C-alpha cells in the first residue's frame, strides 16, 4: 500500500483543490497533477505550512502541459 502525503498548492487554476494527497514517493522538488486533458506542474517552495496541526510542504504552480494524443 502506498503511503500518501498531504501537500498544499499555491497558484494555478482556481478550481484545483489547494490540498492534495499524493504518493510519498512522488513528493520531491516537482509535482505534476492531472487535470482535464493535461497536467498542472508545481515546484516545492522549500516552505511548510500547518495543516491539521502537522507541517505540510507548500508547492507553487509553475506551468501547464497538455497530454499528447
Amino acid at each position: 500500500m502506498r503511503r500518501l502525503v498531504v501537500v498544499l498548492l499555491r497558484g494555478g487554476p482556481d478550481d484545483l483543490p489547494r490540498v492534495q494527497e499524493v504518493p510519498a514517493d512522488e513528493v520531491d522538488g516537482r509535482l505534476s497533477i492531472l487535470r482535464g486533458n493535461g497536467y498542472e506542474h508545481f515546484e516545492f517552495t522549500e516552505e511548510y505550512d500547518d495543516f491539521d496541526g502537522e507541517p505540510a510542504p507548500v508547492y507553487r504552480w509553475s506551468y501547464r502541459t497538455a497530454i499528447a494524443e
Side-chain angles (χ1 to χ4, degrees), residues 9-10 12 14-15 20 22 34 36 44 52-53:
L9 304 180
R10 304 289 187 255
D14 289 337
D15 65 335
Q20 299 272 329
V22 299
L34 180 63
F44 181 46
D52 284 347

Side-chain angles (χ1 to χ4, degrees), residues 41-53:
H41 300 274
F42 292 81
E43 293 193 27
F44 181 46
T45 63
E46 299 188 22
E47 297 175 10
Y48 292 83
D49 206 348
D50 181 73
F51 181 77
D52 284 347

Side-chain angles (χ1 to χ4, degrees), residues 25-40:
D25 59 343
E26 293 180 17
V27 176
D28 59 14
R30 294 185 178 165
L31 288 177
S32 297
I33 307 292
L34 180 63
R35 182 175 160 271
N37 64 345
Y39 288 93
E40 303 297 335

